[in-house]
């Protein structure tokens, strides 16, 4: 390290060592000292609004299984990002989110664009939030941020860095540390769980997002087959963790207390691995579990375990726990399984009018490419997605875990960037509602500028259908703002540089979708669909 080393040069050397050489950002005046003389071996991914920045980095981190580095503007820019920071927190995505701070000599006077109480703003949606007390602490703060983001339960962290820190002289190099990314479950407690599972006559397995995130997809299949047990998806899963065309798969649990309790009727034991117990959405009262049913819960997140309203918990890495259970449980070939879900028949085409969601998904199923990854943000059509486009491979389905919208459009960009950086070629398809499309629409520009072959299928039903379903449930007629007339999605997409088309029939959809996949560029297909209400 030469005598001209600075906080900037020492920190960038550390980032290289940590493989944090892709920066997702939208620059501001207080970040330019961090970005000055941006190195040739680093990549800057520009998004046009901070919510898109976070969602892209989130999906990139999930796809690469490595932390992602984010740089947003102080104060207002960080505020713009918080909506999707909530999703990253719930999705356990290891993000290192940085923002600039005004010059240290000005902060006492509350200058323009100062980040007031900088470490408070992103809470409670980060694991750690810090502003270094001294400029020379910046590299060490990055090292701690990396460790905090990556160690289980992984998640986003935040650093606020005054703009004058970067050019301060600093001897180095920074201290580089390696950290653990998983921990094993307690052996004695795991043996106890295994004995209870072996003794069960009709167990149900619920595999949640932690299973796919930990690389435990195939291990989950092996455990289910050894036990000959029914497998369900947890409510509102943001990752798929089991092959959904498998003979043991029995579908999603539902979204309410009543729906989940009724779905689990007949099972004497429920084993939830890598999911909340449970992620409810509408309030429909009922029994959390059927009478006589017990629950075992395995998760790497102590807060998730503590929040469960029923069941006994075991802390540990999902994949590790599943593999150890598979060795410890007895085979269950004589167990009686509940009836499988009926497979959907081809929807009947109505002679005129918009397509039904089932017709859209059935048409896409006809031309579904091999190894496709789907990013979905069409809440009112998730049931059709599960029926027609079941997950058949690991890391092939992504959705927002927070319930907020505006995540999927830029997240599809993050998935495609992550695939490109790890040398994987697979089609990336985003299925999205017309309302959701508007929240982070500027993400299309980044997709085009990065040359990403993402295909967006926007279903335009002219309303917030899921909210109209809630209006029916909650008996709240006359709610304003639920209709969305006049959205010209094709023109907007073309304005950002995308290829775009509008289709009216299943045949047109299949044709345009196939052409979009073959084009190698960012494409948007708009299909007008019939509004539908869902049972909540």
């Amino acid at each position: 390290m030469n005598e001209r080393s600075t906080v900037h040069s020492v920190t960038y050397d550390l980032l290289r060592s940590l493989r944090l050489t892709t920066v997702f950002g939208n620059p501001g005046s207080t970040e330019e000292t961090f970005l000055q003389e941006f190195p040739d071996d680093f990549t800057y991914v520009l998004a046009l609004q901070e919510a898109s920045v976070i969602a892209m980095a989130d999906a990139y981190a999930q796809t690469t299984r490595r932390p992602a580095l984010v740089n947003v503007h102080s104060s207002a820019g960080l505020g713009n990002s918080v909506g999707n920071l909530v999703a990253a927190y719930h999705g356990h995505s290891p993000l290192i989110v940085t923002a600039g701070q005004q010059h240290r000599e000005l902060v006492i006077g509350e200058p323009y664009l100062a980040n007031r109480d900088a470490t408070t703003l992103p809470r409670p949606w980060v694991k750690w939030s810090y502003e270094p007390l001294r400029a020379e602490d910046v590299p060490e703060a990055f090292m701690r941020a990396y460790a905090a983001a990556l160690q289980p339960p992984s998640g986003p962290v935040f650093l606020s860095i005054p703009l004058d820190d970067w050019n301060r002289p600093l001897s180095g190099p920074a201290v580089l540390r390696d950290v653990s990314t998983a921990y094993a479950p307690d052996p004695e407690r795991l043996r106890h769980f295994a004995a209870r599972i072996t003794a069960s006559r009709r167990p149900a397995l619920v595999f949640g997002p932690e299973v796919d995130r930990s690389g435990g997809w195939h291990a989950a299949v092996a455990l289910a087959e050894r036990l000959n047990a029914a497998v369900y998806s947890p409510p509102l899963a943001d990752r798929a963790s089991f092959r959904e065309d498998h003979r043991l798969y029995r579908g999603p649990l539902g979204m309410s207390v009543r729906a989940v309790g009724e779905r689990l009727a007949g099972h004497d034991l429920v084993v939830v691995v890598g999911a909340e117990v449970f992620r409810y959405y509408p309030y429909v009262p009922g029994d959390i579990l059927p009478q006589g049913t017990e629950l075992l819960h395995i998760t790497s997140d102590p807060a998730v375990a503590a929040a469960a309203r029923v069941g006994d918990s075991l802390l540990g890495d999902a994949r590790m726990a599943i593999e150890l259970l598979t060795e410890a449980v007895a085979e269950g070939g004589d167990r009686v399984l509940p009836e499988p879900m009926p497979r959907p028949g081809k929807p009947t085409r109505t002679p005129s009018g918009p397509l039904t969601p089932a017709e859209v998904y059935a048409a896409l199923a006809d031309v579904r490419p091999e190894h496709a990854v789907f990013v979905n943000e069409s809440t009112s059509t998730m049931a059709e997605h599960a029926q027609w486009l079941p997950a058949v491979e690991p890391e092939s389905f992504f959705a927002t875990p927070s319930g907020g919208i505006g995540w999927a459009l830029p997240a599809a960009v993050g998935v495609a960037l992550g695939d490109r950086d790890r040398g994987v070629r697979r089609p990336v398809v985003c299925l999205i509602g017309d309302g959701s499309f508007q929240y982070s629409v500027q993400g299309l520009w980044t997709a085009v500028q990065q040359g990403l072959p993402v295909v967006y299928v926007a279903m335009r039903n002219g309303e917030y259908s899921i909210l109209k379903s809630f209006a029916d449930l909650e008996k709240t007629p006359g709610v304003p703002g639920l209709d969305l007339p006049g959205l010209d999605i094709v023109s907007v997409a073309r304005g950002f540089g995308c290829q775009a088309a509008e289709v009216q029939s299943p045949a047109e959809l299949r044709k345009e979708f196939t052409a979009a996949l073959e084009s190698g560029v960012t494409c948007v297909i708009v299909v007008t669909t019939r509004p539908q209400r869902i049972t909540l």
Side-chain angles (χ1 to χ4, degrees):
M1 190 67 61
N2 63 57
E3 61 183 9
R4 299 182 61 188
S5 293
T6 61
V7 169
H8 185 276
S9 63
V10 172
T11 301
Y12 269 81
D13 284 341
L14 174 65
L15 295 177
R16 286 187 183 92
S17 298
L18 296 174
R19 298 175 63 200
L20 293 172
T21 56
T22 297
V23 181
F24 293 85
N26 184 274
S29 55
T30 54
E31 290 70 46
E32 288 184 300
T33 47
F34 166 59
L35 299 171
Q36 64 184 309
E37 298 179 358
F38 196 69
D40 292 339
D41 59 331
F42 278 62
T43 300
Y44 189 84
V45 179
L46 173 63
L48 302 183
Q49 206 264 6
E50 290 86 354
S52 289
V53 171
I54 293 288
M56 290 176 192
D58 179 350
Y60 178 88
Q62 292 192 56
T63 303
T64 61
R65 295 193 188 178
R66 292 189 286 107
L69 180 59
V70 176
N71 184 239
V72 297
H73 197 22
S74 60
S75 191
L78 178 61
N80 286 340
S81 75
V82 169
N84 278 332
L85 192 60
V86 176
Y89 179 85
H90 284 295
H92 293 290
S93 294
L95 304 185
I96 300 172
V97 181
T98 63
Q101 174 64 293
Q102 266 285 12
H103 197 288
R104 286 181 183 271
E105 292 186 14
L106 290 178
V107 169
I108 193 171
E110 301 287 353
Y112 193 60
L113 288 175
N115 203 352
R116 181 180 296 181
D117 295 332
T119 61
T120 302
L121 179 56
R123 297 181 187 273
W125 307 115
V126 292
K127 292 179 62 181
W128 183 58
S129 186
Y130 186 68
E131 184 175 273
L133 297 179
R134 307 178 305 163
E136 52 264 46
D137 295 333
V138 170
E140 187 172 350
F142 268 91
M143 186 65 247
R144 180 173 172 181
Y146 177 88
L150 196 55
Q151 292 182 128
S154 57
V157 298
F158 174 71
L159 292 177
S160 169
I161 305 169
L163 66 87
D164 54 313
D165 283 5
W166 294 104
N167 290 325
R168 297 286 182 89
L170 182 66
S171 60
V175 174
L176 181 66
R177 297 187 290 123
D178 194 15
V179 298
S180 176
T181 59
Y183 60 91
D186 175 70
E188 182 176 349
R189 192 162 179 80
L190 186 131
R191 284 193 294 270
H192 172 67
F193 272 38
R196 291 176 65 179
I197 295 169
T198 295
S200 168
R201 297 307 304 154
R202 295 197 70 187
L205 299 173
V206 181
F207 293 123
E210 287 181 42
V211 175
D212 196 42
R213 285 199 295 267
S214 67
W217 171 290
H218 298 297
V221 173
L223 176 61
E225 290 178 346
R226 181 168 179 80
L227 292 172
N228 194 37
V231 177
Y232 299 89
S233 298
L236 299 161
D238 50 287
R239 299 277 290 262
S241 292
F242 192 84
R243 189 173 180 115
E244 294 176 347
D245 61 353
H246 194 280
R247 66 176 181 84
L248 295 173
Y249 184 65
R250 294 299 185 266
L253 285 179
M255 296 186 288
S256 68
V257 172
R258 178 188 295 173
V260 174
E262 291 177 350
R263 197 85 171 86
L264 293 173
H267 293 288
D268 58 355
L269 181 67
V270 179
V271 184
V272 179
V273 185
E276 299 166 37
V277 179
F278 289 100
R279 182 180 283 170
Y280 301 121
Y281 188 11
Y283 175 66
V284 182
D287 295 326
I288 297 175
L289 290 175
Q291 188 173 2
T293 302
E294 297 180 343
L295 188 141
L296 302 177
H297 186 201
I298 301 173
T299 176
S300 65
D301 190 339
V304 167
R309 298 172 65 187
V310 294
D312 301 331
S313 67
L314 172 64
L315 294 175
D317 176 75
R319 176 180 177 177
M320 203 177 302
I322 292 170
E323 290 174 343
L324 291 170
L325 280 175
T326 304
E327 296 175 359
V329 296
E331 292 189 22
D334 60 342
R335 288 193 173 103
V336 178
L337 293 165
E339 290 297 314
M341 296 186 305
R343 303 308 303 170
K346 282 289 184 183
T348 303
R349 176 72 180 107
T350 50
S352 62
L355 302 183
T356 64
E359 288 177 299
V360 172
Y361 282 95
L364 294 175
D366 289 338
V367 289
R368 175 180 183 165
E370 191 176 15
H371 307 307
V373 54
F374 293 98
V375 183
N376 191 301
E377 194 170 279
S378 175
T379 310
S380 63
T381 70
M382 294 296 283
E384 285 78 12
H385 187 131
Q387 288 176 336
W388 292 101
L389 298 172
V392 295
E393 293 178 322
E395 302 178 58
S396 62
F397 175 82
F398 296 87
T400 176
S402 72
I405 58 179
W407 181 85
L409 190 153
V413 176
V415 171
L417 284 169
D419 278 353
R420 187 171 71 184
D421 281 9
R422 64 195 183 113
V424 172
R425 294 178 61 87
R426 57 180 181 164
V428 178
V429 180
C430 180
L431 305 167
I432 190 166
D434 51 354
S436 294
F437 197 91
Q438 311 310 311
Y439 273 66
S440 301
V441 66
Q442 67 283 130
L444 294 176
W445 181 87
T446 305
V448 171
Q449 296 301 312
Q450 292 288 332
L452 300 174
V454 180
V455 179
Y456 293 90
V457 178
M459 289 167 276
R460 185 177 59 200
N461 59 20
E463 64 179 33
Y464 291 121
S465 283
I466 188 66
L467 296 183
K468 289 193 174 183
S469 296
F470 266 88
D472 294 341
L473 172 71
E474 296 166 355
K475 297 180 174 57
T476 53
V479 175
L482 302 187
D483 293 309
L484 301 171
L487 293 177
D488 188 351
I489 296 173
V490 167
S491 294
V492 170
R494 288 174 178 163
F496 281 114
C498 302
Q499 288 190 11
E502 188 161 355
V503 300
Q504 304 293 335
S505 70
E508 289 180 321
L509 177 55
R510 288 190 291 266
K511 178 182 177 182
E512 290 293 342
F513 185 75
T514 301
L517 291 170
E518 294 172 350
S519 71
V521 300
T522 309
C523 296
V524 175
I525 302 169
V526 180
V527 53
T528 302
T529 57
R530 187 177 306 172
Q532 69 174 10
R533 302 293 172 264
I534 64 172
T535 302
L536 295 167

